[in-house]
Amino acid sequence: MTIPHSLIRGTAGGEAVLSVCYSSVSLDLPVIKWQLQREKSITVVQSIGTDIIGTLRPEYRDRILVFENGTLLLHNLRFTDDGVYDVEISITDDTFTGEGSIVLTVDEPISRPYIHMESSSVLELSENVVLNCSHDNGTRVMYRWFKGGKPQSNETRFWLSPDQKLLTITRVLMADEDVYICTAENPVSNMTSLPLRLTVYRRSSLYIILSTGGIFVLIALVTICACWTPSKKRKDAQRKPLSRFSDLASQSTVSHRDDVLPKFREHNGINAVTSLYILQKKDPDDSSSNSIGSPEFEHPPSDTVSLTPPPGSPVRSSHRCTT
């Protein structure tokens, strides 16, 4: 007895053919027995020729077909069908019994993988990048990584997890900016992810952006502070009574300016100086005449003013005005 293929790859929901060949000079039908290795071996089927002996187990009903040469066909494969199958073929007239084993694997096809990472843009020298090759379906998956179309393996700054699903890049450099691809494969399928470009920024570029933004914020704060002024209404209201006396003093000075300056007139071709009248300040002891604008001023001052010509000037008349 010979076994053409000792390893059969099956897909869940599909079918698998476990082929065997035997030769005998006897015309008797062979007795065929298939068992699945477990802690306690499970009899899958037993037949004489193509006629099945006994009743099949519930999990194998309507899923098994035995050929005359001993080949076994399994339909609608399940993950529980995965394992090692032992076959025995014996013929009554033959003293020799043929034996053999076939390994059957049952897998689910892999869906298209995709690369997952926190951010596709990183800062040079300051961050570690972890690329995760993920997929939704598939069993017994093996992963491979490619950088710029070249296979990636463990290096100084590139680390692959034991199952090679994760690729870690430590202290990212500008040279790490490239296109990354991962492939996922199992015994029944092979799929490739979409390419992912990793962008690496230089430190200087980020610092310029941050510093420029900081300058704008500072200018805005200075502008706000310059435009804001505290209210002065209360201070103006408190100083309002004193401003009345200041106004009177300024008006008095301006109104009498012409009286205190000398006036030149022409008389018989000769410039003559008119009499200069000055305000005679009263004795400070006189309590009835306080200075104008004094904060201690309680009663209105008398409108009596004494005008005295300066010494040496001709006196024409003296005026004393009383109101």
Side-chain angles (χ1 to χ4, degrees), residues 3-64:
I3 298 177
H5 304 287
S6 60
L7 176 61
I8 306 298
R9 304 287 189 184
T11 302
E15 62 182 25
V17 177
L18 282 63
S19 299
V20 296
C21 295
Y22 81 94
S23 59
S24 175
V25 294
S26 175
L27 298 177
D28 294 338
L29 296 174
V31 178
I32 304 168
K33 183 179 182 180
W34 285 92
Q35 288 183 315
L36 176 61
Q37 291 184 9
R38 292 290 186 262
E39 291 182 1
K40 182 179 180 181
S41 296
I42 298 173
T43 299
V44 178
V45 64
Q46 189 172 0
S47 67
I48 298 177
T50 58
D51 297 332
I52 296 176
I53 302 174
T55 303
L56 295 175
R57 297 172 63 91
E59 61 268 28
Y60 292 116
R61 290 175 185 173
D62 301 325
R63 294 199 307 121
I64 286 180

Side-chain angles (χ1 to χ4, degrees), residues 75-304:
H75 293 284
N76 192 19
L77 290 176
R78 304 173 182 176
F79 292 117
T80 55
D81 294 334
D82 191 287
V84 178
Y85 289 80
D86 296 326
V87 57
E88 293 181 3
I89 299 177
S90 60
I91 299 177
T92 305
D93 295 343
D94 293 340
T95 57
F96 176 78
T97 300
E99 296 179 349
S101 298
I102 298 176
V103 177
L104 172 64
T105 62
V106 181
D107 292 288
E108 181 183 24
I110 301 172
S111 59
R112 186 168 195 169
Y114 55 91
I115 300 176
H116 174 74
M117 61 183 300
E118 294 297 330
S119 175
S120 59
S121 301
V122 294
L123 180 63
E124 180 186 21
L125 297 176
S126 63
E127 298 185 37
N128 296 339
V129 176
V130 179
L131 284 72
N132 184 0
C133 187
S134 303
H135 57 90
D136 297 327
N137 302 316
T139 56
R140 271 194 283 255
V141 182
M142 298 178 61
Y143 306 92
R144 288 192 300 168
W145 287 94
F146 296 85
K147 175 189 174 185
K150 298 180 180 180
Q152 187 64 50
S153 58
N154 283 322
E155 296 179 4
T156 305
R157 294 182 303 103
F158 289 79
W159 297 93
L160 293 171
S161 60
D163 60 357
Q164 298 191 358
K165 184 178 181 179
L166 301 179
L167 173 62
T168 303
I169 308 174
T170 60
R171 293 183 59 80
V172 179
L173 301 177
M174 293 300 300
D176 300 332
E177 181 172 296
D178 212 325
V179 175
Y180 292 81
I181 294 175
C182 77
T183 62
E185 59 184 29
N186 67 2
V188 296
S189 60
N190 186 339
M191 297 294 290
T192 302
S193 70
L194 293 175
L196 173 69
R197 171 168 287 279
L198 177 64
T199 303
V200 182
Y201 290 103
R202 292 186 183 275
R203 276 180 169 271
S204 56
S205 300
L206 183 62
Y207 288 159
I208 291 174
I209 294 173
L210 292 179
S211 61
T212 305
I215 291 174
F216 288 152
V217 173
L218 180 60
I219 292 174
L221 291 176
V222 171
T223 304
I224 293 173
C225 294
C227 295
W228 179 82
T229 55
S231 177
K232 296 183 179 181
K233 291 183 178 180
R234 294 189 60 185
K235 295 183 179 180
D236 293 342
Q238 294 176 359
R239 296 181 181 179
K240 190 173 182 180
L242 297 179
S243 63
R244 180 171 61 89
F245 298 106
S246 300
D247 293 342
L248 291 174
S250 61
Q251 291 175 3
S252 174
T253 303
V254 173
S255 62
H256 295 330
R257 184 173 184 181
D258 293 339
D259 297 336
V260 300
L261 294 177
K263 298 180 180 180
F264 295 88
R265 294 181 182 176
E266 187 174 349
H267 180 69
N268 294 330
I270 300 175
N271 291 331
V273 180
T274 59
S275 298
L276 176 64
Y277 296 90
I278 63 174
L279 297 174
Q280 181 178 0
K281 186 177 180 182
K282 289 189 177 184
D283 188 358
D285 295 337
D286 189 0
S287 60
S288 62
S289 58
N290 292 331
S291 300
I292 297 176
S294 173
E296 298 178 359
F297 182 75
E298 297 179 358
H299 303 285
S302 174
D303 291 334
T304 303

